[in-house]
Amino acid sequence: MSAQDVLVLAEIHRGAWADITRELLAAARELAKLTGGQVVALVLGDGVPDPAAALSAADRIIVVNDPSLAAYAPEAYVCGAQAIAIAEQPRAVLIGSTSIGWDVAPLLAGRLKCPLVTGCQSLRCDGDKLLVTASLSGGKMQADVEVGAGLAVLMVLPGVFRATQETGAAQVETRSLPVLGESGFVRFCGWIVPDASDVDITQQDVLVAVGRGIQQRDNVEMAEELAQSLGGAVCASRPVVDAGWLPPTRQVGKSGMTVAPKLYLALGISGAPEHQEGMQGSELIIAINTDAKAPIFDIAHYGAEADALDLLPALVEQLTSRKG
Amino acid sequence: MNIAVVLRQVPDLIEPPEVDPSGTKFDLGAATFILNESDDHALEQALLMKEAGGGTITVLAFDFGDVDNTLYTAAAKGADRIVKLLWQEADPPTPHVAAAMLAEAIRPLRPELVLVGVNAHNELDGVLPPFLAQALAFPYVGVIRGVQNGPDPGAVSVRKEFPGAVMAQLQVQLPAVLGILGAEQPPRYVPVSRIRAATKTAQFEETEPSAAVDELPVAVRRLYPPAASGHAEMLTGSADEIAARIMTLLADKGILK
């Protein structure tokens, strides 16, 4: 490996390759063309299935199989990534802004004493510097960030890079590492899966989505009424779930559900990148928000600068009168 | 349990963020500051744990933004000790600097658990909670929705959020730092009268820890609002008129039966 290579941390989620892995490989291919290096995927796990087909966009695939990596434990993952990064000395390590990435990327950067940039959306080079465009402030701002020579850890936003059709040699190497962290500090005990009795919002044709602009728990009921009249269901952005007004099974976005209904009616949702990631594939997006600059309007097909609480009763009333 | 909670002030995004004349930094002159949302959840989680199993809560915050109001509110909610880290700069400390200073302030408290919101919207070149864990030499795990004591002694049980509303149940050996995404219940409301009472009774301990942090080669060249890649066709008029347009759209698309 050379200091021009780009190392990607692959993620396996409950036995399947996470989408972010192919997105990171696509980002890495773009960057490696500019650095003149190779794309190297790192897979941490135990009994990892043959990764060559799934990670064909990589030139090399390093697999670390170890019992301590059978289930996610931050310390073991960071130790594994650190050992490979030190051995390989890449120009950059790309890690997703995911549940695992939010642990591993900053801890790895801290261990390696190297720069970390979060929210990365584009990656390019300027001489020996990396130039990164990163999103912050809930998608309302961007920063062009210059990262000096040497290794850097870059946290890449999910949903920004499309999986590439380009392929590399996908040469698989298996590595053994002596000690993977002081195991036992964080111990995996099991998965908690969502309550299957709740509505599956991924299967709905119509979703009425509520965000912070809905203001109160009581107003969610009005959105429920509208959704039912339209033959759909209510879903939400993170603040509404955090407030306990709807269960996590109704959350759309990075750590919630990914939906693609025929209609996504977004009420009082600003449209942070994490939310957009979960709904941008919807066939028809109509957004209502009091902030004309809300990022949701950038991806909506139709929008209105209005208070969702004014519009909701009007929609319910007109729908009711239409149905007679 | 002896719990430390870190509270950060962040600009309220209700107002569009402004960029200063250098074009590389936020102009915080006109910003309204609020408590970082996930830090509010970290405090709520600590309060729930104290109610369930006793203990003390020490809240730490930099003297920045509207911090006094935040700290009096924390006291009114049930925080036992308030530690204010003195900070004279116009900009908030970077995650690297904040982690180093907070570690120095937290170490003498000998907490079993440190709770911090998993991130803040204005972080760019770092993430505070894992940096703080490293500075304290504590284990770290983040994106946590709910913490409970036990079941083993000297440990807590946490739920870490993954996509698809799936959670991983983890046991974390103490002492540890946890990056909180959401508490087991929404942050509690506290009446203004209790906050007002706290302004008369709560005592702030002030400290000015030093922070020797290596400069890393990261620089912002430009800070700017993103250019829209596309934009919605905007519907205008009264609420009734907009609703009528939406009904027509839904009918045209075959969604309205």
Side-chain angles (χ1 to χ4, degrees):
Chain A
M1 195 150 185
S2 78
Q4 282 75 46
D5 292 349
V6 183
L7 182 66
V8 163
L9 179 64
E11 281 193 34
I12 300 173
H13 181 48
R14 300 177 73 208
W17 296 101
D19 291 343
I20 188 69
T21 300
R22 292 182 183 88
E23 295 172 19
L24 291 174
L25 287 170
R29 287 226 73 87
E30 283 184 23
L31 184 57
K33 281 176 198 160
L34 302 172
T35 61
Q38 288 193 322
V39 173
V40 183
L42 169 60
V43 188
L44 302 170
D46 190 30
V48 172
D50 184 359
L55 309 186
S56 59
D59 297 306
R60 294 165 54 214
I61 303 167
I62 299 173
V63 177
V64 179
N65 272 311
D66 190 279
S68 66
L69 298 166
Y72 174 63
E75 187 65 18
Y77 266 59
V78 173
C79 282
Q82 181 186 10
I84 299 301
I86 289 172
E88 299 289 328
Q89 291 292 312
R91 177 66 181 93
V93 182
L94 306 191
I95 298 179
S97 292
T98 62
S99 184
I100 288 175
W102 277 107
D103 292 349
V104 173
L107 291 172
L108 179 64
R111 290 273 187 89
L112 296 170
K113 299 193 187 316
C114 73
L116 168 75
V117 183
T118 62
C120 298
Q121 293 180 305
S122 80
L123 314 169
R124 50 207 189 278
C125 290
D126 180 9
D128 65 345
K129 295 183 174 69
L130 290 178
L131 286 183
V132 177
T133 300
S135 173
L136 70 166
S137 297
K140 291 188 173 182
M141 293 299 280
Q142 279 184 334
D144 291 341
V145 182
E146 175 187 301
V147 183
L151 175 62
V153 176
L154 307 177
M155 287 180 72
V156 176
L157 281 179
V160 173
F161 292 90
R162 300 273 171 222
T164 177
Q165 299 300 313
E166 289 181 47
T167 56
Q171 195 174 16
V172 180
E173 306 164 23
T174 303
R175 301 270 180 97
S176 293
L177 298 174
V179 181
L180 280 177
E182 298 175 64
S183 60
F185 282 138
V186 179
R187 186 165 60 81
F188 178 82
C189 302
W191 293 107
I192 303 168
V193 295
D195 178 5
S197 66
D198 191 23
V199 171
D200 182 356
I201 60 170
T202 66
Q203 300 302 312
Q204 299 292 316
D205 280 344
V206 173
L207 287 173
V208 175
V210 292
R212 204 187 295 272
I214 206 75
Q215 294 184 16
Q216 292 180 44
R217 181 194 289 264
D218 292 349
N219 295 329
V220 177
E221 285 175 22
M222 204 173 0
E224 288 269 12
E225 191 184 337
L226 176 64
Q228 280 174 13
S229 299
L230 289 167
V234 161
C235 62
S237 62
R238 168 177 296 290
V240 172
V241 174
D242 284 348
W245 299 344
L246 282 169
T249 46
R250 301 295 185 100
Q251 185 181 319
V252 172
K254 181 174 74 177
S255 51
M257 305 293 186
T258 299
V259 298
K262 288 181 179 167
L263 168 65
Y264 193 86
L265 178 57
L267 302 172
I269 291 177
S270 65
E274 293 81 2
H275 184 76
Q276 290 189 16
E277 186 193 329
M279 46 66 76
Q280 58 197 359
S282 304
E283 283 181 33
L284 173 64
I285 301 169
I286 302 177
I288 312 298
N289 201 293
T290 52
D291 178 3
K293 292 181 177 173
I296 191 78
F297 291 131
D298 298 341
I299 62 159
H301 302 95
Y302 296 92
E305 185 187 345
D307 189 333
L309 297 180
D310 292 337
L311 204 64
L312 250 176
L315 285 166
V316 170
E317 190 183 316
Q318 292 197 20
L319 199 54
T320 307
S321 61
R322 255 176 191 265
K323 288 188 171 179
Chain B
M1 187 179 294
N2 180 7
I3 305 172
V5 180
V6 176
L7 302 180
R8 286 164 287 183
Q9 295 280 297
V10 292
D12 191 344
L13 291 177
I14 283 184
E15 295 297 323
E18 299 280 339
V19 180
D20 82 353
S22 75
T24 61
K25 292 196 307 180
F26 286 108
D27 182 350
L28 298 176
T32 304
F33 288 91
I34 56 170
L35 173 59
N36 183 42
E37 197 168 339
S38 55
D39 292 347
D40 200 8
H41 281 266
L43 175 60
E44 180 60 36
Q45 187 60 60
L47 293 164
L48 292 171
M49 294 181 74
K50 180 183 164 186
E51 285 162 3
T56 59
I57 297 171
T58 304
V59 163
L60 300 101
F62 283 93
D63 187 6
F64 183 79
D66 192 18
V67 73
D68 284 3
N69 186 43
T70 293
L71 293 177
Y72 285 127
T73 303
K77 287 182 174 182
D80 301 285
R81 275 179 80 179
I82 307 282
V83 178
K84 194 154 81 168
L85 284 75
L86 299 181
W87 181 256
Q88 312 292 340
E89 307 292 325
D91 296 314
T94 65
H96 289 93
V97 170
M101 292 179 70
L102 282 162
E104 200 172 314
I106 287 173
R107 220 171 272 120
L109 303 173
R110 303 176 67 82
E112 291 151 284
L113 189 57
V114 181
L115 302 181
V116 194
V118 67
N119 61 356
H121 71 69
N122 54 353
E123 287 179 335
L124 181 65
D125 61 351
V127 187
L128 175 63
F131 286 179
L132 176 58
Q134 287 184 321
L136 290 166
F138 286 2
Y140 174 75
V141 63
V143 197
I144 300 299
R145 269 189 186 276
V147 187
Q148 292 185 328
N149 293 313
D152 292 350
V156 289
S157 181
V158 306
R159 291 193 301 279
K160 179 176 173 66
E161 188 176 271
F162 280 84
V166 172
M167 305 275 181
Q169 187 85 46
L170 305 171
Q171 184 167 302
V172 182
Q173 209 64 42
L174 302 177
V177 176
L178 300 178
I180 301 294
L181 181 64
E184 282 163 293
Q185 68 178 42
R188 64 194 64 191
Y189 170 77
V190 60
V192 175
S193 58
R194 275 174 55 193
I195 299 171
R196 205 175 294 131
T199 62
K200 297 191 175 90
T201 56
Q203 301 287 317
F204 295 170
E205 301 168 39
E206 293 189 345
T207 180
E208 194 167 13
S210 60
V213 175
D214 293 336
E215 287 288 320
L216 291 169
V218 177
V220 174
R221 279 190 180 180
R222 188 163 77 102
L223 184 67
Y224 54 98
S229 53
H231 202 276
E233 181 182 331
M234 298 305 278
L235 312 174
T236 55
S238 67
D240 285 336
E241 288 165 341
I242 294 168
R245 285 288 313 276
I246 291 174
M247 288 297 141
T248 305
L249 280 169
L250 300 189
D252 290 350
K253 304 277 181 187
I255 293 166
L256 212 57
K257 306 239 169 33

